[in-house]
Amino acid sequence: SLGLNRRTNSSDSMRQYLTPDVLANQVRMERSAFSGAFVFVEGDSDERLYSLFTDPNLCKIVIANCRPQLFEIRSILEQSNFSGFLCIADADFDHLKGVTPPPSLIFTDWHDMECYLLKSNALERVLHENGDATKIAIWKRDNKVDDVRLYLVTQGASVGYLLFHSLESDLGLNFKGIDFEKFTSKTTFIANENNLVDHVLQLSSNPVINKSNIKSEIQKLRRKDFDLWQVARGHDLVHLLCFTLRTAWKRGSSSLLSASVMEGVLRTSYPIDSFSSTKLYGSIRQWEIQNSGKFKILK
């Protein structure tokens, strides 16, 4: 049985066996015993957030383990005319590229699921609990910052622009293991573009790529005046938030949170009613209506 929670089946040792065909077949087999909706999401963290809003008696969340597998599962089930399933994918850069999702697939409002958390007042709750209000106020005054949230997404978008250019130009740069301390000021938290490019090229073991061309292309993207919440990756913003709390904003001797723990804290701090105002919520409700109420997902 797939069950609501597939975390126990998504360990590294099992993941290689959970191919799109396997997951699609398991759902089709389970249809005889479960008449509700199946919701496919990319990863564990997506399941943890969306399970807050879904009714476990009416739908089951299935973790596809990555975005490409999610798309392939959708295609398999569509071709077999399987009804009562919906896929939710991080938009990544697809909104910026004007990509329209195919049937039975919904994109997040912004770049990824973590953006929902950071755009809500979960950010203020985390800063109140883990940051020093006086230090933050002084830092804002000294750096002439009115909106901490806007400041974070502006700096975090530097990585997003570089990733977007890498994907569009097929550079194949590696962004795993990005360390904000390698290219971000410990006092102002401003991302140094030169150091960022050097850092990513080092991670990619590809120093021969022309750095000047990369910087030029990033500036072209910046001039397009994109919505920064479509550019920045939520994971990067969480890492940057942890960086600020380890350095200038830390409250006394409070424990230092890792990025993965911080994401969990943000999820538990996320106001449930914030989700009902998102486009994703409206799209899920519309899907329920289109299915004549036969399949329901949301509480």
Side-chain angles (χ1 to χ4, degrees), residues 19 25 29 38 56 71 90 103 110 120 149 153 159 166 170 181 193 199 208 224 229 246 258 261 285:
T19 65
N25 286 334
M29 289 172 59
F38 291 97
F71 278 64
D90 287 343
W110 303 289
S120 77
R149 180 181 285 102
V153 73
V159 178
S166 175
D170 198 26
E181 295 192 30
E193 194 169 276
H199 178 49
V208 299
K224 293 179 181 292
W229 291 97
R246 284 197 304 270
S258 66
V261 173
R285 283 295 188 206

Side-chain angles (χ1 to χ4, degrees), residues 57-58 84 103 106 123 142 145 154 163 178 181 193 207 215 228 271:
N57 297 311
L58 300 176
I106 301 175
L123 174 61
D142 292 347
V145 173
T154 299
L163 173 60
I178 282 279
E181 295 192 30
E193 194 169 276
K215 290 178 60 180
L228 295 179

Side-chain angles (χ1 to χ4, degrees), residues 262-282:
M262 177 61 79
E263 288 183 9
V265 172
L266 286 164
R267 280 193 297 271
T268 57
S269 302
Y270 184 70
I272 300 298
D273 57 356
S274 291
F275 188 66
S276 62
S277 64
T278 65
K279 292 180 181 179
L280 177 57
Y281 175 91

Side-chain angles (χ1 to χ4, degrees), residues 109-274:
D109 294 45
W110 303 289
H111 190 99
D112 50 36
M113 177 271 291
E114 286 74 22
C115 290
Y116 288 95
L117 307 177
L118 292 162
K119 282 182 70 70
S120 77
N121 64 13
L123 174 61
E124 282 76 13
R125 294 179 181 182
V126 165
L127 290 175
H128 178 73
E129 180 67 26
N130 298 279
D132 185 299
T134 301
K135 290 180 180 179
I136 295 174
I138 293 173
W139 180 89
K140 290 173 64 178
R141 181 200 66 197
D142 292 347
N143 292 279
K144 297 180 174 57
V145 173
D146 294 322
D147 188 335
V148 167
R149 180 181 285 102
L150 177 59
Y151 195 82
L152 288 174
V153 73
T154 299
Q155 302 310 318
S158 297
V159 178
Y161 280 118
L162 179 55
L163 173 60
F164 192 21
H165 170 57
S166 175
L167 293 173
E168 290 296 280
S169 302
D170 198 26
L171 297 182
L173 297 179
N174 176 32
F175 288 79
K176 292 183 179 179
I178 282 279
D179 183 355
F180 273 80
E181 295 192 30
K182 300 291 186 181
F183 57 88
T184 306
S185 166
K186 293 180 173 61
T187 54
T188 65
F189 306 124
I190 292 176
N192 182 295
E193 194 169 276
N194 280 322
N195 294 343
L196 167 61
V197 173
D198 286 339
H199 178 49
V200 171
L201 289 178
Q202 186 176 33
L203 289 174
S204 307
S205 300
N206 195 349
V208 299
I209 294 179
N210 190 305
K211 190 167 72 171
S212 297
N213 289 344
I214 291 177
K215 290 178 60 180
S216 175
E217 292 301 319
I218 290 176
Q219 291 307 314
K220 289 181 183 178
L221 290 174
R222 288 186 187 277
R223 287 194 289 271
K224 293 179 181 292
D225 197 28
F226 289 141
D227 177 356
L228 295 179
W229 291 97
Q230 303 293 351
V231 177
R233 299 189 301 178
H235 289 295
D236 291 330
L237 300 183
V238 172
H239 278 278
L240 180 56
L241 175 60
C242 289
F243 181 39
T244 67
L245 291 171
R246 284 197 304 270
T247 53
W249 298 355
K250 184 183 177 185
R251 176 197 292 273
S253 59
S254 62
S255 60
L256 302 179
L257 300 178
S258 66
S260 60
V261 173
M262 177 61 79
E263 288 183 9
V265 172
L266 286 164
R267 280 193 297 271
T268 57
S269 302
Y270 184 70
I272 300 298
D273 57 356
S274 291

